[in-house]
Amino acid sequence: MNKSEFLANLRAHLSVLPPEEQNELLEDYEAHFAFGLQSGRTEQEIVLELGDPAELAKEAIDNRFVPQEHVYWFGGAEPAAAPGAAIPPTGDYPNEAGVQRRSAFASVMVYIGLFFINLIAVPLLLSFWTVVVSFAVSAAAGILSPLLLGLEYLWHGDIFKAKIFASIAYVGLGILLIVVTRYAYKGMLWLSIAYLRWNVRIAKGDQQA
């Protein structure tokens, strides 16, 4: 199974969800494929890593309102009730997105939980970004070391041979760090976006029952 087949299969199993939720989930998996391909993995390897699309879809809709019969979604229109189906009471009727809204108390508890999670997760993400920036600064310093050595020669009029060899080594190290920085930056960018989207999905009261 390749990327296109995987995403098509996943979309088919997510058909009970509104289009905006389907697209949001599929964007996350698109980003996972993009990051994996940039890391040198094949589409088949990424598919094996992600697992069965049916199981992933089941997990995604586990806590959501799922109609008993297949529903065709048309923008913000409410799904038509099946003939003879009982109409639920007004207080329990799901909103136009097909899911029930959380109560005010549940929403407050969710926001409090996210607050304490972010107290730990956000500083961790910032520390990882600091490491990426340090890699970039070290790479720039290594590549610019011959220039600094040239300035020292102009200032003192003499250079130790050991510094010349060290400068060559620093250039090689700087090139290596550029490669490391590139992959670290892409990985952290994907992780940060995925974490932000997760926060938004959890915080939206009309996205969960």
Side-chain angles (χ1 to χ4, degrees):
M1 186 186 301
N2 58 24
K3 171 187 173 182
S4 299
E5 294 170 342
F6 176 89
L7 294 177
N9 197 346
L10 182 60
R11 181 181 287 277
H13 284 90
L14 293 172
S15 60
V16 296
L17 297 179
E20 60 270 17
E21 288 195 44
Q22 296 180 35
N23 294 333
E24 188 174 11
L25 289 170
L26 289 169
E27 284 176 3
D28 290 341
Y29 288 102
E30 285 272 12
H32 192 94
F33 271 99
F35 177 68
L37 292 172
Q38 290 169 355
S39 300
R41 286 177 289 174
T42 64
E43 292 184 356
Q44 288 74 19
E45 290 173 342
I46 299 172
V47 169
L48 290 175
E49 177 186 331
L50 290 173
D52 184 12
E55 292 296 327
L56 295 173
K58 180 180 178 182
E59 180 181 350
I61 64 179
D62 188 39
N63 294 323
R64 290 175 168 83
F65 171 81
V66 181
Q68 297 300 317
E69 297 182 3
H70 187 79
V71 174
Y72 294 92
W73 298 93
F74 297 95
E78 295 179 352
I87 300 176
T90 304
D92 295 333
Y93 193 78
N95 59 19
E96 65 275 9
V99 289
Q100 294 178 339
R101 293 184 180 276
R102 279 199 301 250
S103 66
F105 176 78
S107 297
V108 171
M109 291 297 100
V110 168
Y111 287 128
I112 292 175
L114 285 176
F115 173 76
F116 285 105
I117 290 174
N118 287 326
L119 280 180
I120 298 174
V122 172
L124 280 176
L125 284 174
L126 291 177
S127 64
F128 291 152
W129 275 111
T130 302
V131 173
V132 174
V133 172
S134 67
F135 282 160
V137 172
S138 299
I143 293 176
L144 293 176
S145 60
L147 177 61
L148 299 176
L149 194 62
L151 293 175
E152 182 181 351
Y153 176 76
L154 292 177
W155 183 262
H156 296 287
D158 189 20
I159 297 179
F160 293 108
K161 291 183 179 180
K163 289 186 176 180
I164 296 177
F165 290 112
S167 177
I168 295 173
Y170 286 147
V171 170
L173 181 60
I175 295 173
L176 179 62
L177 284 175
I178 286 178
V179 177
V180 174
T181 302
R182 177 173 177 267
Y183 285 106
Y185 169 77
K186 289 182 177 180
M188 283 304 305
L189 183 62
W190 177 85
L191 180 62
S192 300
I193 293 174
Y195 182 73
L196 177 61
R197 286 177 175 172
W198 177 82
N199 270 270
V200 172
R201 286 201 300 269
I202 297 299
K204 283 182 178 178
D206 60 345
Q207 296 293 321
Q208 300 192 14

